[in-house]
Amino acid sequence: MRKVRILVVDDDKRNVVLLTSKLQADGYETDTAYDGLEAIKKAESFNPDLMLLDVMMPKIDGHEVCR
């Protein structure tokens, strides 16, 4: 069975490290992005089941990424 894929998106690298460490320990497959533009590119290639998005990020905010 395929692992659930989660894309973690935050411009604060400490948050990304904390979240990905916990998620991977719980058996999830993760990928990361550090701004909205990178999140959109990663979502297209990684095809996540879920995205954890920071709302306030440089370039494109989390709301715009969702649109």
Side-chain angles (χ1 to χ4, degrees), residues 4-58:
V4 173
R5 293 176 166 195
I6 301 176
L7 179 60
V8 178
V9 186
D10 197 322
D11 58 321
D12 185 335
K13 292 184 181 184
R14 295 171 298 177
N15 290 340
V16 172
V17 169
L18 178 68
L19 285 168
T20 57
S21 296
K22 174 63 176 149
L23 291 168
Q24 289 173 355
D26 288 343
Y28 296 100
E29 183 178 349
T30 64
D31 200 354
T32 60
Y34 297 96
D35 63 57
L37 291 176
E38 184 181 10
I40 291 169
K41 290 178 184 174
K42 290 280 183 99
E44 291 171 348
S45 62
F46 184 60
N47 194 25
D49 298 297
L50 175 72
M51 290 175 65
L52 297 178
L53 284 168
D54 182 14
V55 173
M56 297 177 61
M57 293 184 294

